[in-house]
Amino acid sequence: MLGPQLDLDNMQTLEALQDLLPGFVYQLRMRPDGQFDYPYVGDVVERWFGVDREALKTDGAALLDCIHPDDRDWVMRSTMESVEQSEPWSMEFRMQCPGGQVMWLSAYDTVRRFEDGTVVWTGFATDVTGRKDLEASLRQSEAKFRAFVETASDVIYSLRPDGVLTYVSPNWTENLGYPISAAIDHAIDEYVAPEDLPDCYAFLDRIARTGQKAGGIEYRIRHQDGHYRWHTSNVSPVLDEDGRVTEFLGIARDITERKATEVQMQRLAHYDPLTDLPNRTLFYQILDHELTGARREGQQVALMFVDLDEFKPVNDRHGHAVGDLLLRQVAQRLSGAIRDSDVAGRIAGDEFVVMLPRFHSLEESRAHAAVIGEKIRAELAAPFDCDGIEVHISCSIGIALFPLDAADGPALSRAADAAMYVAKNAGRNQVVVFDRAVHGAEAIGYRGY
């Protein structure tokens, strides 16, 4: 037979890749005499186009003739141009199906020329009729069209068991900016984030041991401009006659936006969106963690309730936009008044909390908490500039100490809350340290942990 022959490994590669795709893999050969045949083509072509797959191995005309008459000349012309330019070929064109239906195909392939004049194109084609139909109805909505196109931007690749890439589809460049030549014969170590490499190799090792395809691995991969994109991959092994893995074939999808959304949602669940301080849930999780460590190490922890005085009149007089700006500035001053190891949070509208951990003695915790409390009180008593509007407020601060005043988080919160209300009732703009003998064990007006 004229031209190069498909070897067994190559055939297995095409068969395995076929399993990963919704369309079909093909290898089209042009002999030196100008005749075409298909050494390999996925069996879906028999169902789609009513052609004999076996017959295509000796004469490819039956499938090539299915190209829509209006598209055939330029499809064949561009195919031959890919030979002259030695570049990957990609095209979308129409095919005629039995019964007169028209199907749109999106085809991608790479070309090889042999010394005897034989030319071989290896690639894959997918049915994009649905997308083409949608394009007509989505022309007025660029955003929707872009979102749809992005769903078809997966990268197809193959790599050896040692992690060296042997093939990447043209979408590699679209996704990551690198030319295809920068990937072939290069290890994934050059692109995957170092922190994610162990998981990636463990994933490949599991597939090699089981001989079964798997999916869901998520990892970061470096874009040509230096930043990292998040990808997820489904991978299938290529096995030799002895069942050993000779190659991995995979499809990678960019999930960077999804990961960013997940991070944002996680942050919204734990941080106050206005001030960017920990919210009630996160703050008390941190408090519980610190109290557990303090209990084990015999350390002291101080908890401070900070309630703004006369905040409601600011909203009433100047509007909620000024009130929100004031709260952001309060958070900034609060954060600037404490140590790096301290934690400030916003648990309600104008209510803030501060945790001061890791003191080695009761005297140290009491003295430091009083100093920090007074520092915060003075900072918040200074005028605020809210977009040209000078705003004056103050704050009432209650402080409670662990383990002196309480043995756990809820009780410590009640004690700090009680001390804060004593400061409020004593005229506001004060710092009060909880005293069980004076304030009692129950919180005044406590609204929950």
Side-chain angles (χ1 to χ4, degrees), residues 384-425:
F384 290 85
D385 182 356
C386 298
D387 280 346
I389 299 174
E390 185 172 289
V391 176
H392 294 266
I393 60 169
S394 62
C395 66
S396 300
I397 300 176
I399 300 173
L401 306 175
F402 169 89
L404 175 66
D405 300 325
D408 56 34
L412 190 65
S413 295
R414 289 193 292 271
D417 199 36
M420 183 271 292
Y421 271 97
V422 171
K424 283 278 189 186
N425 295 331

Side-chain angles (χ1 to χ4, degrees), residues 190-230:
E190 298 182 27
Y191 301 103
V192 175
E195 300 85 354
D196 299 338
L197 269 174
D199 287 341
C200 288
Y201 277 113
F203 178 74
L204 295 175
D205 181 65
R206 185 165 63 253
I207 294 173
R209 285 186 285 103
T210 63
Q212 301 294 319
K213 63 182 179 182
I217 180 71
E218 297 182 355
Y219 52 92
R220 289 161 295 173
I221 187 165
R222 191 179 68 252
H223 191 278
Q224 188 180 37
D225 64 13
H227 79 280
Y228 281 93
R229 307 286 298 176
W230 275 99

